[in-house]
Amino acid sequence: MYAIVEIAGQQFKVSKDLKVYVHRLEAKEGDAISFAKVLLLDDNGTVTIGAPAIEGASVEAKVLQHLKGEKVIVFKKKRRKGYKKKNGHRQSLTQIQISGITGAGAAPKKKAAAKKAEATEE
């Protein structure tokens, strides 16, 4: 079972017990958090797609640690002008571990089954 979920403005493919680095979250280390914006849910081949999100589905996670990413050098230069600018950047990250995925994808199946039943009765 996996899900595509939006966390801090980015989309991630997550499954149970997966560790993910995301942009810095406000939660403290050790806190349990839940993400409700689940865009796609795959339960052993049964795929549910949200429009844009799946109602009632959520992904639970635990915050493991807050850290900084690798240093990225930003170097700007304009030739023959003597202009050089060197900056560095380290992104603030949060490491989370996915503890569970709960889905409510049964509602669209019931609607489709009801429509098929009405078609066969006519």
Side-chain angles (χ1 to χ4, degrees):
M1 175 178 221
Y2 72 89
I4 296 183
V5 62
E6 185 173 322
I7 303 172
Q10 292 183 319
Q11 296 176 5
F12 295 93
K13 179 181 176 183
V14 297
S15 58
K16 189 170 172 28
D17 297 329
L18 183 71
K19 292 180 182 175
V20 181
Y21 291 101
V22 298
H23 288 305
R24 181 67 58 100
L25 301 174
E26 295 295 324
K28 295 179 183 166
E29 291 184 11
D31 286 354
I33 52 178
S34 179
F35 304 105
K37 199 159 186 181
V38 179
L39 307 174
L40 182 137
L41 189 64
D42 183 6
D43 188 11
N44 297 327
T46 305
V47 178
T48 306
I49 300 174
I54 300 171
E55 294 289 328
S58 65
V59 173
E60 287 78 29
K62 180 182 177 187
V63 176
L64 298 178
Q65 65 177 337
H66 296 294
L67 58 137
K68 284 189 159 188
E70 294 285 323
K71 188 167 195 176
V72 177
I73 303 297
V74 180
F75 184 73
K76 298 178 182 180
K77 179 182 177 183
K78 295 187 179 177
R79 62 186 195 152
R80 297 189 301 268
K81 306 296 181 200
Y83 173 80
K84 294 180 185 177
K85 194 74 165 176
K86 182 179 178 181
N87 283 322
H89 175 74
R90 290 185 71 186
Q91 184 68 38
S92 299
L93 301 172
T94 300
Q95 185 182 24
I96 61 173
Q97 183 173 13
I98 306 300
S99 57
I101 300 171
T102 58
K109 291 179 188 174
K110 290 180 183 176
K111 290 180 185 176
K115 287 181 181 179
K116 286 181 183 177
E118 289 176 10
T120 56
E121 290 175 4
E122 293 176 2

